[in-house]
Amino acid sequence: MDEDVAIWKLIVGYLVWLLASAAIALIAGLLVGAIASAFGVESKSANSQTLIVVIAVIGFVLLAVLPFLLRRRMSRPDSEGSG
């Protein structure tokens, strides 16, 4: 029974992480778009909109995969400290 609760907590925690990742990625995309418009790219142009979307998608994918990458890194056996 405790395993079922732990699994549900993990699933809900990951869904919350995905929601936060989407928000962070959108903010990063808009920030990059604002910086690009400061350098002369028109904010209403297709290039600016494409830049915002690409940055947001890349940011979301990286943040969505991050827990799995960190889990692998944290679960590696530490060979330095055992000697």
Side-chain angles (χ1 to χ4, degrees):
M1 185 70 164
D2 288 336
E3 284 184 26
D4 293 338
V5 173
I7 290 172
W8 279 108
K9 283 184 179 180
L10 210 72
I11 291 171
V12 170
Y14 187 65
L15 290 176
V16 170
W17 176 258
L18 286 178
L19 184 64
S21 297
I24 292 168
L26 285 174
I27 291 171
L30 291 173
L31 182 63
V32 169
I35 292 170
S37 68
F39 284 108
V41 178
E42 279 191 41
S43 62
K44 301 290 184 192
S45 70
N47 290 338
S48 176
Q49 299 297 322
T50 304
L51 178 67
I52 292 171
V53 169
V54 167
I55 295 297
V57 168
I58 290 172
F60 176 74
V61 169
L62 288 176
L63 287 171
V65 174
L66 189 64
F68 299 105
L69 296 176
L70 289 177
R71 184 178 62 109
R72 281 190 190 154
R73 184 177 177 131
M74 297 288 191
S75 65
R76 284 187 193 162
D78 188 21
S79 59
E80 294 177 11
S82 63

